[in-house]
């Protein structure tokens, strides 16, 4: 097979702080340890789907190593290679139908000579699909046609059905260091050193978040608002207000995106039914529309939760910084730009107070994620627990 490229060039250039993973994947592309099913795991924002896409490009590369320049590399990275399909549950409401299509497609010979690559970005959400597609999906992953490669992505291996993960070779992505993220932003995004340093610290290893903070003042100003919240929690009224604010910010931020994708979904559905739907008696159409509306609501909820979750990480970082100052721990502050505010908070609390507050933030996340408490209720309880006397 082809040469190996140095890391950080070609299709690998977009991966930040993942030298070990890149080395493993490059060896596989060169024919050592290649297998037909892979599971990419890593914390949110570590770039698991980017890694899967880079790997797919390298597998399809005309020069055999992921040069980044050939037609196969470029179309794979752009999402338009005929033998690479990417499934995201986020953008595709017809997930179950997609899975069936995917299984059929995985059995096809590639259009070009190399591989048929099937990428599933949210393999942690496959449970339902496996339930409804029966064994076909499992079988397709277990015994794919010779040229088919499955690349699944999930936060951790535990998030994936054991029957699926046992069929995969796993690679786990690391959380990149602030230095690695900053260097990436300067070199690849053309961001100034100071903005890059801020975005790298504030994003705490989340690449997508780092890019957003580095490139968009709107995100920076929202983060400033959120980071300023803890110091204002001095009365019950302020706590309740802060909770409502956080929910509003999240709804605002997702509204445009949601409207756009909801409209696109309905169009897709109408295209799928064509003239059939004209007879409003079409029961199948109405049933699909109901199912669509249900999954749109789920998606909206999930997006709002993602934004809230990010805000909670930002709030936690303030207490974390206060503890750093209180204990004289080495290592910089995440919120270096508001050191004065953090120092003030550190003076007016003990490390134990701040540990308790961090616990309260985790508890609120758990309430929302595991027990389906509405965000407003969970956040109100949290803000009250964060209150400074
Ligand atoms: Zn190439």
């Amino acid at each position: 097979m082809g040469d190996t490229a140095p890391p950080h060039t070609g299709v690998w250039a977009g991966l930040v702080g993942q030298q070990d993973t890149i080395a493993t994947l490059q060896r596989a592309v060169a024919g050592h340890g290649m297998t037909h099913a892979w599971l990419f795991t890593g914390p949110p924002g570590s770039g698991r789907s980017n890694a899967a896409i880079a790997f797919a490009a390298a597998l399809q590369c005309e020069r055999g190593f992921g040069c980044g320049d050939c037609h196969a590399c470029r179309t794979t990275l752009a999402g338009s290679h005929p033998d690479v399909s990417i499934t995201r549950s986020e953008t595709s409401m017809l997930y179950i139908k997609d899975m069936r299509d995917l299984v059929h497609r995985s059995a096809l010979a590639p259009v070009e000579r190399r591989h048929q690559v099937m990428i599933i970005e949210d393999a942690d959400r496959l449970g339902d699909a496996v339930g409804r597609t029966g064994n076909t999906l499992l079988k397709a992953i277990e015994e794919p046609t010779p040229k088919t490669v499955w690349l699944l992505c999930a936060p951790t291996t535990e998030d994936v059905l054991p029957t699926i993960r046992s069929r995969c070779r796993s690679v786990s992505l690391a959380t990149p260091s602030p230095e690695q993220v900053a260097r990436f932003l300067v070199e690849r995004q053309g961001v100034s050193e100071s903005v890059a340093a801020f975005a790298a610290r504030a994003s705490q290893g989340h690449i997508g978040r780092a890019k957003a903070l580095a490139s968009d003042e709107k995100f920076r100003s929202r983060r400033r608002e959120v980071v300023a919240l803890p110091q204002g929690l001095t009365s019950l009224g302020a706590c309740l207000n802060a909770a409502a604010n956080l929910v509003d910010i999240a709804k605002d931020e997702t509204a445009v995106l949601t409207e756009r994708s909801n409209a696109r979904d309905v169009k897709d559905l109408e295209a799928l039914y064509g003239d059939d739907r004209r007879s409003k008696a079409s029961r199948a159409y109405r049933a699909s529309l109901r199912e669509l509306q249900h999954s749109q609501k789920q998606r909206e909820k999930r997006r709002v939760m993602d934004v809230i979750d990010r805000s909670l990480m930002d709030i936690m970082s303030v207490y974390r910084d206060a503890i750093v100052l209180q204990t004289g721990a080495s290592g910089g502050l995440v919120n270096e730009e508001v050191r004065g505010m953090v120092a003030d908070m550190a003076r007016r609390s003990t490390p134990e107070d701040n540990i308790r507050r961090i616990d309260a933030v985790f508890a609120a996340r758990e309430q929302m994620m595991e027990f389906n408490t509405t965000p407003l209720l969970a956040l109100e309880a949290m803000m009250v627990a964060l209150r400074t006397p």
Side-chain angles (χ1 to χ4, degrees):
M1 294 248 187
D3 315 310
T4 51
H8 298 305
T9 64
V11 295
W12 313 106
L15 308 183
V16 187
Q18 310 298 344
Q19 291 81 343
D20 292 349
T21 295
I22 292 173
T24 301
L25 299 177
Q26 284 182 324
R27 275 196 300 276
V29 172
H32 310 291
M34 185 57 199
T35 180
H36 67 270
W38 295 72
L39 175 59
F40 291 79
T41 61
S46 57
R48 15 176 224 258
S49 68
N50 286 343
I53 291 167
F55 186 37
L59 288 170
Q60 305 290 24
C61 175
E62 289 151 28
R63 297 192 192 139
F65 62 90
C67 66
D69 292 324
C70 71
H71 185 68
C73 279
R74 280 186 286 113
T75 50
T76 303
L77 296 180
S80 58
H81 193 291
D83 298 324
V84 178
S85 48
I86 305 176
T87 306
R88 300 184 171 97
S89 64
E90 163 77 356
T91 53
S92 163
M93 45 76 46
L94 299 168
Y95 198 45
I96 307 297
K97 183 188 161 299
D98 280 352
M99 278 305 130
R100 290 206 184 98
D101 290 352
L102 210 59
V103 167
H104 291 147
R105 201 171 153 186
S106 74
L108 299 176
V111 175
E112 318 255 339
R113 283 163 300 132
R114 305 185 67 86
H115 300 272
Q116 179 75 261
V117 185
M118 322 299 295
I119 301 177
I120 300 181
E121 285 200 341
D122 312 273
D124 46 320
R125 312 178 80 223
L126 273 179
D128 206 23
V130 168
R132 289 170 67 174
T133 56
N135 272 329
T136 46
L137 180 64
L138 292 178
K139 264 197 91 168
I141 295 178
E142 187 171 39
E143 299 162 5
T145 36
K147 291 190 164 181
T148 298
V149 182
W150 291 87
L151 307 180
L152 312 182
C153 308
T156 70
T157 50
E158 288 73 34
D159 294 321
V160 180
L161 293 177
T163 45
I164 290 183
R165 72 170 182 252
S166 64
R167 290 159 164 85
C168 298
R169 176 168 179 195
S170 3
V171 273
S172 52
L173 287 115
T175 301
S177 71
E179 293 73 26
Q180 288 168 323
V181 176
R183 201 178 334 122
F184 173 81
L185 292 173
V186 171
E187 286 171 10
R188 306 270 311 169
Q189 311 278 121
V191 172
S192 76
E193 299 267 353
S194 63
V195 170
F198 158 75
R201 270 188 284 107
S203 63
Q204 301 181 69
H206 191 302
I207 298 294
R209 177 85 171 129
K211 286 187 196 164
L213 284 170
S215 63
D216 195 335
E217 171 55 29
K218 192 177 76 220
F219 285 106
R220 290 197 286 271
S221 82
R222 280 203 180 131
R223 186 178 188 279
R224 274 196 296 276
E225 273 175 55
V226 170
V227 164
L229 281 178
Q231 67 172 348
L233 301 175
T234 50
S235 67
L236 186 61
C239 292
L240 300 183
N241 256 335
N245 270 342
L246 222 52
V247 174
D248 287 346
I249 289 177
K251 287 196 171 149
D252 274 1
E253 198 170 320
T254 48
V256 183
L257 198 63
T258 297
E259 242 167 68
R260 214 181 298 146
S261 42
N262 284 0
R264 197 177 47 221
D265 287 345
V266 171
K267 243 189 177 161
D268 285 354
L269 189 71
E270 289 178 352
L272 195 68
Y273 279 84
D275 288 340
D276 281 0
R277 86 192 136 85
R278 294 247 172 83
S279 65
K280 283 292 174 201
S282 165
R283 217 187 263 170
Y285 176 72
R286 276 183 293 143
S288 299
L289 191 62
R290 261 198 311 278
E291 201 176 321
L292 171 66
Q293 285 159 346
H294 175 72
S295 56
Q296 286 178 332
K297 276 205 193 92
Q298 296 295 108
R299 177 176 63 196
E300 187 182 348
K301 242 162 109 182
R302 188 171 163 219
R303 283 181 180 160
V304 169
M305 277 304 306
D306 283 348
V307 179
I308 289 177
D309 199 40
R310 221 170 51 208
S311 300
L312 295 186
M313 297 299 288
D314 290 339
I315 288 174
M316 249 189 286
S317 73
V318 175
Y319 299 119
R320 173 249 177 229
D321 281 353
I323 296 174
V324 169
L325 293 182
Q326 286 168 327
T327 58
S330 59
L333 301 188
V334 172
N335 302 290
E336 192 58 55
E337 67 287 346
V338 287
R339 181 178 271 269
M341 182 202 84
V342 176
D344 187 48
M345 177 164 294
R347 265 194 304 279
R348 292 187 292 132
S349 60
T350 63
E352 290 72 26
D353 290 335
N354 294 316
I355 289 169
R356 190 180 45 75
R357 287 168 176 156
I358 289 174
D359 287 344
V361 178
F362 274 117
R365 290 177 84 192
E366 197 180 47
Q367 283 295 326
M368 287 182 279
M369 313 252 188
E370 310 284 333
F371 302 106
N372 265 323
T373 308
T374 64
L376 186 60
L377 271 181
L379 293 176
E380 283 177 350
M382 179 194 85
M383 293 295 182
V384 170
L386 299 182
R387 186 175 164 179
T388 35

